[in-house]
Amino acid sequence: MQKKKIADFDIYFTQFLNVAGEATQPLPDFAKDSSELINMYREMVLMRTFETKAVNMQRTGKIGTFVNSAGHEALAVGIGAALKKEDIFVPAYREYAAQFMRGVKMSDILLYFGGDERGNNFQHSIDFPLTVPLATQALHAAGIAKAMQYRKQKNAVLTVCGDGASSEGDFYEALNVAGVWNLPLVFVVNNNGWAISTPTTIQTSAKTFAQKAIAAGFEGEKVDGRDVIAIRYTIENALNKARSGGGPTLIEAAHYRLSPHTTADDPTRYMDKNVFDEAWDNEPIGWLRRYLEKQKIWNDQKEKTLWDECSQAVDVAVKEYENTPPQKPTAMFDYLYETLPEPLLAQYEEVMECSEK
C-alpha cells in the first residue's frame, strides 16, 4: 500500500528578549522608541499593583473572589498596545491591563468583583465585558467578526481564552466558522500552564495549542508570553492581516501562572515549588526592566517613582469603588427579562417591600 503526503504544516515561535534582558534578534520598529517601551512597562507595573491591591481587598472582605493575574502582564499589555481604537476586544477574565488601556476603569473591575454588575456596563468602551464561562466568548467574537465582514468594515476582533478553555466545544466551533468564513478575528490562547489544577500535559497531547488552528484551515503560531515586545509584534501582524481580509489567526502565548487560579484556589496542593519559584525569577516585568536598564533608559529612582505613581492611581480607583452608592436590591431582577414572569414578579415585589422597610 502506497501513501502520499498531501499536506504539511509549520508552527513558528517568536521571542525578541531573553530572561537576561538581551535582544535575541533585531527589534521591531515600535520597540526602537524608548517612550513606547516605557509606556508598556508602566502598564505592566500598574496591572501588577492593581492585582496586589485587589487580592488584599478580597482577603479583607471588600470584594468577592478575584481572578489573579500575576505573570500575565506582558500578554495583557501586548494585546492592549496592538489593538486599534475601532477594533473590538472580547476578553476572558485576566486581561485587566488591556481593558485599562482601552478605557475601562479600575473601579469598574473592582465593582464587578464586588458583586455589582454595573462594573460590566462600560459606558466608555466598545469592548465586551469579562467572560467567566469557558470559551463562550470565542463564539461571541466570531459573530461580531461576521457582522464586521458583512458591513465591509476594516477593523478586527480579538478574543482570549485559557489553555483549559481550548478543550471546550465552543472554542472549536468558533475556530471552524472563522476559517470557513475567513473572518477578521484573532484568537489568543493564554497558555499559563494550568487550567485551575489541571496541567497542560494532560490538557492536550498536541505539541502546541497554536496547531489547533490547522484543522480550521488557518495559521497558528506561538509566542513567548513573558516577552511583551514579541506579543505586541505578533498580535499586531495578525490584526493587520485580519483587517486587510487575510482571515483569522490563532496565537498561543506561553508563560506560567505566578499565582492561584483565583483567590479561592490553593496552588501549593498541586504546583511544584521549585518550578513556581523559577517562574517568578523569569517573570515578564523583570524581563522588560532588565532590557530597559541595559539600554540606559531606566534606573532604580525611575522604578521607585513608577511604583509609587501606580500605587496612588490604584488607591484613587479603590476610593471611587468604595464611594459608589450601592445598587438597589431589586437590581438583581433588572437584566433577566423584558417583562418579569409571574413567579419572579412576586419575588420582586417582596424584595421591594423589604427594602422599603
Side-chain angles (χ1 to χ4, degrees):
M1 177 180 175
Q2 293 185 340
K3 294 183 180 180
K4 182 173 71 172
K5 182 188 289 189
I6 60 171
D8 205 359
F9 307 97
D10 294 302
I11 299 295
Y12 293 98
F13 176 74
T14 302
Q15 180 195 72
F16 284 104
L17 300 182
N18 61 22
V19 67
E22 300 164 337
T24 60
Q25 59 177 309
L27 300 184
D29 287 343
F30 71 80
K32 297 172 185 176
D33 182 343
S34 60
S35 64
E36 279 292 306
L37 294 181
I38 291 172
N39 285 339
M40 291 195 296
Y41 186 69
R42 181 190 184 281
E43 296 295 343
M44 292 170 69
V45 170
L46 180 62
M47 179 169 165
R48 178 73 59 82
T49 308
F50 173 79
E51 196 252 5
T52 302
K53 183 66 174 182
V55 170
N56 290 337
M57 291 176 70
Q58 189 279 329
R59 299 306 190 207
T60 54
K62 294 181 179 179
I63 60 173
T65 299
F66 179 75
V67 179
N68 302 68
S69 61
H72 301 75
E73 295 86 2
L75 177 57
V77 171
I79 290 170
L83 286 163
K84 290 186 177 180
K85 183 178 180 180
E86 62 270 20
D87 294 328
I88 303 292
F89 180 40
V90 186
Y93 43 59
R94 294 187 204 277
E95 298 78 44
Y96 307 124
Q99 293 181 290
F100 300 156
M101 294 167 75
R102 291 180 59 75
V104 176
K105 298 188 296 182
M106 287 185 279
S107 56
D108 289 331
I109 303 300
L110 293 175
L111 278 171
Y112 173 76
F113 284 110
D116 192 329
E117 286 294 340
R118 289 176 296 179
N120 257 347
N121 185 19
F122 307 143
Q123 300 296 326
H124 33 270
S125 174
I126 60 174
D127 296 334
F128 272 46
L130 296 170
T131 308
V132 175
L134 297 184
T136 55
Q137 71 271 25
L139 284 172
H140 301 158
I144 300 165
K146 182 60 182 176
M148 288 179 173
Q149 185 186 65
Y150 180 78
R151 296 168 181 166
K152 295 181 170 53
Q153 294 173 272
K154 296 299 181 182
N155 42 352
V157 184
L158 185 146
T159 187
V160 185
C161 74
D163 47 279
S166 75
S167 295
E168 295 286 332
D170 288 350
F171 176 77
Y172 288 100
E173 291 165 12
L175 292 186
N176 192 58
V177 297
V180 170
W181 293 339
N182 199 45
L183 296 180
L185 175 56
V186 176
F187 298 91
V188 176
V189 174
N190 175 4
N191 175 11
N192 63 20
W194 298 94
I196 307 182
S197 59
T198 302
T200 54
T201 52
I202 60 175
Q203 188 70 238
T204 181
S205 62
K207 289 184 179 180
T208 68
F209 289 92
Q211 71 199 64
K212 295 191 176 191
I214 293 171
F218 58 89
E219 290 180 305
E221 54 184 304
K222 186 171 181 177
V223 64
D224 195 312
R226 301 163 296 183
D227 181 352
V228 68
I229 297 175
I231 292 167
R232 175 173 169 176
Y233 172 81
T234 305
I235 291 176
E236 277 187 346
N237 287 343
L239 287 168
N240 286 336
K241 184 182 79 170
R243 296 186 199 104
S244 63
T249 306
L250 171 60
I251 297 168
E252 173 191 351
H255 53 117
Y256 200 83
R257 198 184 78 211
L258 300 177
S259 61
H261 174 69
T262 70
T263 52
D265 175 39
D266 179 10
T268 62
R269 299 173 60 188
Y270 55 83
M271 278 187 176
D272 183 316
K273 186 179 185 303
N274 292 329
V275 175
F276 184 75
D277 290 344
E278 182 181 356
W280 262 109
D281 291 337
N282 298 327
E283 57 87 26
I285 293 178
W287 272 43
L288 184 54
R289 180 184 177 181
R290 285 188 281 275
Y291 178 76
L292 295 176
E293 289 173 338
K294 287 180 183 295
Q295 302 307 305
K296 309 298 184 185
I297 57 176
W298 202 249
N299 55 44
D300 290 344
Q301 183 56 51
K302 290 181 179 180
E303 181 78 0
K304 181 181 184 305
T305 299
L306 174 60
W307 283 89
D308 288 345
E309 289 173 352
C310 289
S311 180
Q312 291 170 14
V314 171
D315 286 344
V316 169
V318 170
K319 288 179 181 177
E320 184 176 349
Y321 160 70
E322 292 177 336
N323 292 330
T324 300
Q327 57 188 343
K328 299 180 296 183
T330 52
M332 69 179 85
F333 300 97
D334 290 345
Y335 310 105
L336 296 173
Y337 302 95
E338 182 178 5
T339 302
L340 283 176
E342 199 65 35
L344 286 182
L345 186 59
Q347 293 179 31
Y348 177 90
E349 291 172 351
E350 183 179 358
V351 170
M352 177 71 79
E353 182 179 346
C354 290
S355 63
E356 288 175 351
K357 291 180 180 178

